[in-house]
Amino acid sequence: MSRYIPQRCQQIFSNCNMVCFIDEALLCLSYFAVAFVSLNCLNIYASFVGTQSRSFAYGLFIINSIYGIGGAVSSVTSSLNHVQVIFYAAEVSFVLPFLTTEMWIQKNLFPKQQELLYVPCILGILPFFSFIMLGVIRIDLIELCLVYCCVCTAYVGYITKDYLVVAGSLLFYLAYCMHYRGKVKISNVLLILFTLCSLGSICPNCVDETRKKSDFPFKEYGF
């Protein structure tokens, strides 16, 4: 009996280590998937829009990519955790405002009041610089910005019948809620879906054009 107890404890300890390893591997994979999808969306957008592209759309995909790469690295080593916090602050502060501003510019909703186009970005600057200056992520400022952007994108979707941008904004807000509750892997999956919705909304024809290319993956299988 005295020999059985240490063996049992060792087995439990080994199982816990295995579970922790699998959890960390899945977390790293989810971050890597965010970076991979964002970089591919950036490449598709830049290839088909070219000189007509705007910095807001570029910023959306670039910040998503940096957040994913930083998360993948920080999930392997803890030496970059403080840097990943900055990336996360930039993610929740700028990505959805960039999408909102980009859609407002594309749909030309305020032709006589161009200054209103940049209100979402200004609201995003507030929590980010508050974090830089104070070292604290102001949840109230972030939620004010996100809720405002969700309302604005809902208005854009209603006026222009573009429901992808509405779905994207809701996915981003849900991803923020999941991350806040500690469910980071689920949050990253939602961010992947958000990125795809953003690409389809910002550049609605680029995905269809990509599918027509002869080198599009799995085309021979009918996808």
Side-chain angles (χ1 to χ4, degrees):
M1 184 67 179
S2 59
R3 293 182 179 179
Y4 175 76
I5 294 177
Q7 291 177 356
R8 182 61 178 170
C9 292
Q10 185 178 4
Q11 183 180 2
I12 294 174
F13 182 74
S14 177
N15 291 337
C16 290
N17 286 340
M18 180 60 68
V19 170
C20 291
F21 174 78
I22 294 175
D23 186 68
E24 290 176 358
L26 290 175
L27 180 61
C28 180
L29 184 62
S30 68
Y31 276 118
F32 179 78
V34 172
F36 179 79
V37 171
S38 300
L39 287 173
N40 275 275
C41 289
L42 175 62
N43 180 56
I44 293 172
Y45 176 72
S47 299
F48 286 92
V49 180
T51 57
Q52 299 178 355
S53 59
R54 282 181 288 270
S55 58
F56 296 108
Y58 271 124
L60 186 156
F61 298 123
I62 290 173
I63 292 177
N64 257 354
S65 302
I66 294 175
Y67 167 77
I69 294 172
V73 174
S74 64
S75 62
V76 176
T77 174
S78 60
S79 59
L80 295 179
N81 285 346
H82 61 289
V83 178
Q84 178 61 12
V85 175
I86 299 176
F87 294 159
Y88 175 70
E91 174 81 9
V92 295
S93 298
F94 292 121
V95 170
L96 191 56
F98 280 173
L99 174 62
T100 305
T101 300
E102 175 67 23
M103 297 309 301
W104 277 11
I105 293 174
Q106 282 194 16
K107 307 304 182 182
N108 194 26
L109 295 182
F110 302 102
K112 297 182 180 180
Q113 297 174 315
Q114 294 292 320
E115 62 277 3
L116 294 179
L117 299 175
Y118 306 102
V119 172
C121 293
I122 294 174
L123 289 177
I125 289 173
L126 295 178
F128 182 74
F129 277 96
S130 174
F131 170 74
I132 295 298
M133 299 299 295
L134 303 177
V136 177
I137 298 179
R138 291 285 302 274
I139 301 299
D140 54 344
L141 294 178
I142 289 176
E143 292 187 349
L144 171 65
C145 176
L146 296 183
V147 170
Y148 177 80
C149 290
C150 286
V151 173
C152 293
T153 51
Y155 175 75
V156 171
Y158 174 76
I159 295 297
T160 63
K161 307 302 180 183
D162 182 2
Y163 301 112
L164 272 180
V165 69
V166 180
S169 63
L170 293 178
L171 284 168
F172 189 89
Y173 188 81
L174 185 58
Y176 160 77
C177 294
M178 291 295 103
H179 196 286
Y180 182 74
R181 295 178 181 180
K183 300 179 180 180
V184 182
K185 293 187 289 295
I186 298 177
S187 175
N188 289 340
V189 173
L190 294 172
L191 282 179
I192 293 171
L193 298 176
F194 159 77
T195 306
L196 295 174
C197 289
S198 298
L199 178 65
S201 185
I202 293 172
C203 188
N205 298 321
C206 63
V207 178
D208 293 334
E209 291 296 325
T210 302
R211 289 168 61 89
K212 295 176 183 177
K213 284 189 169 184
S214 59
D215 58 347
F216 185 74
F218 312 115
K219 183 178 180 181
E220 62 271 20
Y221 299 108
F223 291 97

